[in-house]
PDB file of all heavy atoms in Angstrom:
ATOM      1  N   ALA A  42      12.255  -9.369   2.437  1.00  0.00           N
ATOM      2  CA  ALA A  42      11.509 -10.530   1.963  1.00  0.00           C
ATOM      3  C   ALA A  42      11.999 -11.776   2.690  1.00  0.00           C
ATOM      4  O   ALA A  42      13.019 -11.752   3.388  1.00  0.00           O
ATOM      5  CB  ALA A  42      11.696 -10.696   0.455  1.00  0.00           C
ATOM      6  N   VAL A  43      11.270 -12.858   2.533  1.00  0.00           N
ATOM      7  CA  VAL A  43      11.675 -14.126   3.123  1.00  0.00           C
ATOM      8  C   VAL A  43      13.064 -14.479   2.590  1.00  0.00           C
ATOM      9  O   VAL A  43      13.327 -14.405   1.389  1.00  0.00           O
ATOM     10  CB  VAL A  43      10.662 -15.236   2.789  1.00  0.00           C
ATOM     11  CG1 VAL A  43      11.192 -16.597   3.236  1.00  0.00           C
ATOM     12  CG2 VAL A  43       9.317 -14.939   3.444  1.00  0.00           C
ATOM     13  N   GLY A  44      13.948 -14.834   3.507  1.00  0.00           N
ATOM     14  CA  GLY A  44      15.322 -15.140   3.138  1.00  0.00           C
ATOM     15  C   GLY A  44      16.260 -13.966   3.290  1.00  0.00           C
ATOM     16  O   GLY A  44      17.479 -14.122   3.300  1.00  0.00           O
ATOM     17  N   SER A 187       3.457  -9.104  10.027  1.00  0.00           N
ATOM     18  CA  SER A 187       4.124  -9.923  11.030  1.00  0.00           C
ATOM     19  C   SER A 187       5.265 -10.682  10.369  1.00  0.00           C
ATOM     20  O   SER A 187       5.269 -10.886   9.148  1.00  0.00           O
ATOM     21  CB  SER A 187       3.150 -10.921  11.674  1.00  0.00           C
ATOM     22  OG  SER A 187       2.683 -11.858  10.713  1.00  0.00           O
ATOM     23  N   ALA A 188       6.249 -11.086  11.172  1.00  0.00           N
ATOM     24  CA  ALA A 188       7.395 -11.822  10.639  1.00  0.00           C
ATOM     25  C   ALA A 188       7.970 -12.745  11.701  1.00  0.00           C
ATOM     26  O   ALA A 188       7.914 -12.451  12.897  1.00  0.00           O
ATOM     27  CB  ALA A 188       8.475 -10.858  10.147  1.00  0.00           C
ATOM     28  N   PHE A 189       8.509 -13.860  11.223  1.00  0.00           N
ATOM     29  CA  PHE A 189       9.267 -14.785  12.069  1.00  0.00           C
ATOM     30  C   PHE A 189      10.709 -14.661  11.612  1.00  0.00           C
ATOM     31  O   PHE A 189      11.027 -14.885  10.441  1.00  0.00           O
ATOM     32  CB  PHE A 189       8.739 -16.207  11.896  1.00  0.00           C
ATOM     33  CG  PHE A 189       9.576 -17.272  12.557  1.00  0.00           C
ATOM     34  CD1 PHE A 189      10.089 -17.092  13.838  1.00  0.00           C
ATOM     35  CD2 PHE A 189       9.842 -18.470  11.898  1.00  0.00           C
ATOM     36  CE1 PHE A 189      10.853 -18.079  14.448  1.00  0.00           C
ATOM     37  CE2 PHE A 189      10.598 -19.461  12.502  1.00  0.00           C
ATOM     38  CZ  PHE A 189      11.105 -19.269  13.784  1.00  0.00           C
ATOM     39  N   VAL A 190      11.587 -14.271  12.545  1.00  0.00           N
ATOM     40  CA  VAL A 190      12.970 -13.962  12.206  1.00  0.00           C
ATOM     41  C   VAL A 190      13.912 -14.809  13.055  1.00  0.00           C
ATOM     42  O   VAL A 190      13.788 -14.841  14.281  1.00  0.00           O
ATOM     43  CB  VAL A 190      13.262 -12.463  12.444  1.00  0.00           C
ATOM     44  CG1 VAL A 190      14.685 -12.118  12.016  1.00  0.00           C
ATOM     45  CG2 VAL A 190      12.252 -11.585  11.702  1.00  0.00           C
ATOM     46  N   GLU A 194      17.506 -13.495   9.945  1.00  0.00           N
ATOM     47  CA  GLU A 194      16.947 -13.922   8.658  1.00  0.00           C
ATOM     48  C   GLU A 194      15.434 -14.063   8.745  1.00  0.00           C
ATOM     49  O   GLU A 194      14.915 -14.726   9.644  1.00  0.00           O
ATOM     50  CB  GLU A 194      17.557 -15.244   8.211  1.00  0.00           C
ATOM     51  CG  GLU A 194      17.026 -15.718   6.862  1.00  0.00           C
ATOM     52  CD  GLU A 194      17.582 -17.064   6.444  1.00  0.00           C
ATOM     53  OE1 GLU A 194      18.536 -17.562   7.089  1.00  0.00           O
ATOM     54  OE2 GLU A 194      17.044 -17.644   5.471  1.00  0.00           O
ATOM     55  N   VAL A 195      14.754 -13.455   7.800  1.00  0.00           N
ATOM     56  CA  VAL A 195      13.296 -13.518   7.768  1.00  0.00           C
ATOM     57  C   VAL A 195      12.865 -14.878   7.221  1.00  0.00           C
ATOM     58  O   VAL A 195      13.133 -15.214   6.066  1.00  0.00           O
ATOM     59  CB  VAL A 195      12.720 -12.396   6.887  1.00  0.00           C
ATOM     60  CG1 VAL A 195      11.195 -12.496   6.829  1.00  0.00           C
ATOM     61  CG2 VAL A 195      13.150 -11.035   7.425  1.00  0.00           C
ATOM     62  N   LYS A 196      12.199 -15.656   8.059  1.00  0.00           N
ATOM     63  CA  LYS A 196      11.722 -16.977   7.663  1.00  0.00           C
ATOM     64  C   LYS A 196      10.283 -16.932   7.169  1.00  0.00           C
ATOM     65  O   LYS A 196       9.886 -17.702   6.295  1.00  0.00           O
ATOM     66  CB  LYS A 196      11.820 -17.946   8.852  1.00  0.00           C
ATOM     67  CG  LYS A 196      13.224 -18.163   9.377  1.00  0.00           C
ATOM     68  CD  LYS A 196      14.089 -18.888   8.371  1.00  0.00           C
ATOM     69  CE  LYS A 196      15.454 -19.269   8.952  1.00  0.00           C
ATOM     70  NZ  LYS A 196      16.304 -19.986   7.975  1.00  0.00           N
ATOM     71  N   VAL A 197       9.499 -16.042   7.764  1.00  0.00           N
ATOM     72  CA  VAL A 197       8.085 -15.880   7.405  1.00  0.00           C
ATOM     73  C   VAL A 197       7.775 -14.393   7.406  1.00  0.00           C
ATOM     74  O   VAL A 197       8.220 -13.671   8.303  1.00  0.00           O
ATOM     75  CB  VAL A 197       7.155 -16.609   8.401  1.00  0.00           C
ATOM     76  CG1 VAL A 197       5.691 -16.309   8.094  1.00  0.00           C
ATOM     77  CG2 VAL A 197       7.406 -18.105   8.408  1.00  0.00           C
ATOM     78  N   LEU A 198       7.040 -13.931   6.412  1.00  0.00           N
ATOM     79  CA  LEU A 198       6.616 -12.530   6.364  1.00  0.00           C
ATOM     80  C   LEU A 198       5.176 -12.471   5.886  1.00  0.00           C
ATOM     81  O   LEU A 198       4.848 -12.976   4.815  1.00  0.00           O
ATOM     82  CB  LEU A 198       7.507 -11.729   5.418  1.00  0.00           C
ATOM     83  CG  LEU A 198       7.150 -10.242   5.227  1.00  0.00           C
ATOM     84  CD1 LEU A 198       7.283  -9.483   6.543  1.00  0.00           C
ATOM     85  CD2 LEU A 198       8.036  -9.611   4.156  1.00  0.00           C
ATOM     86  N   ASN A 199       4.319 -11.891   6.698  1.00  0.00           N
ATOM     87  CA  ASN A 199       2.905 -11.732   6.363  1.00  0.00           C
ATOM     88  C   ASN A 199       2.553 -10.252   6.316  1.00  0.00           C
ATOM     89  O   ASN A 199       2.773  -9.535   7.287  1.00  0.00           O
ATOM     90  CB  ASN A 199       2.017 -12.409   7.417  1.00  0.00           C
ATOM     91  CG  ASN A 199       2.332 -13.881   7.581  1.00  0.00           C
ATOM     92  OD1 ASN A 199       2.403 -14.624   6.607  1.00  0.00           O
ATOM     93  ND2 ASN A 199       2.513 -14.314   8.822  1.00  0.00           N
ATOM     94  N   VAL A 214      -2.105 -17.021  13.204  1.00  0.00           N
ATOM     95  CA  VAL A 214      -1.626 -17.357  11.860  1.00  0.00           C
ATOM     96  C   VAL A 214      -0.143 -17.687  11.883  1.00  0.00           C
ATOM     97  O   VAL A 214       0.290 -18.744  11.393  1.00  0.00           O
ATOM     98  CB  VAL A 214      -1.887 -16.202  10.874  1.00  0.00           C
ATOM     99  CG1 VAL A 214      -1.228 -16.502   9.521  1.00  0.00           C
ATOM    100  CG2 VAL A 214      -3.380 -16.010  10.683  1.00  0.00           C
ATOM    101  N   ILE A 215       0.666 -16.824  12.469  1.00  0.00           N
ATOM    102  CA  ILE A 215       2.103 -17.043  12.432  1.00  0.00           C
ATOM    103  C   ILE A 215       2.526 -18.209  13.331  1.00  0.00           C
ATOM    104  O   ILE A 215       3.541 -18.864  13.074  1.00  0.00           O
ATOM    105  CB  ILE A 215       2.867 -15.742  12.768  1.00  0.00           C
ATOM    106  CG1 ILE A 215       4.294 -15.805  12.185  1.00  0.00           C
ATOM    107  CG2 ILE A 215       2.860 -15.463  14.258  1.00  0.00           C
ATOM    108  CD1 ILE A 215       4.994 -14.469  12.113  1.00  0.00           C
ATOM    109  N   GLN A 218       2.886 -21.125  11.310  1.00  0.00           N
ATOM    110  CA  GLN A 218       3.937 -21.049  10.301  1.00  0.00           C
ATOM    111  C   GLN A 218       5.334 -21.274  10.848  1.00  0.00           C
ATOM    112  O   GLN A 218       6.292 -21.333  10.097  1.00  0.00           O
ATOM    113  CB  GLN A 218       3.871 -19.656   9.618  1.00  0.00           C
ATOM    114  CG  GLN A 218       2.570 -19.393   8.891  1.00  0.00           C
ATOM    115  CD  GLN A 218       2.454 -17.943   8.451  1.00  0.00           C
ATOM    116  OE1 GLN A 218       2.831 -17.017   9.183  1.00  0.00           O
ATOM    117  NE2 GLN A 218       1.959 -17.733   7.241  1.00  0.00           N
ATOM    118  N   ILE A 219       5.425 -21.392  12.162  1.00  0.00           N
ATOM    119  CA  ILE A 219       6.730 -21.576  12.793  1.00  0.00           C
ATOM    120  C   ILE A 219       7.079 -23.067  12.863  1.00  0.00           C
ATOM    121  O   ILE A 219       6.267 -23.871  13.313  1.00  0.00           O
ATOM    122  CB  ILE A 219       6.742 -20.970  14.214  1.00  0.00           C
ATOM    123  CG1 ILE A 219       6.493 -19.459  14.118  1.00  0.00           C
ATOM    124  CG2 ILE A 219       8.041 -21.258  14.929  1.00  0.00           C
ATOM    125  CD1 ILE A 219       6.296 -18.796  15.468  1.00  0.00           C
TER     126      ILE A 219
END
Side-chain angles (χ1 to χ4, degrees):
V43 172
S187 65
F189 171 43
V190 183
E194 181 183 349
V195 178
K196 299 293 187 180
V197 174
L198 178 63
N199 303 310
V214 173
I215 203 164
Q218 298 170 320
I219 298 172

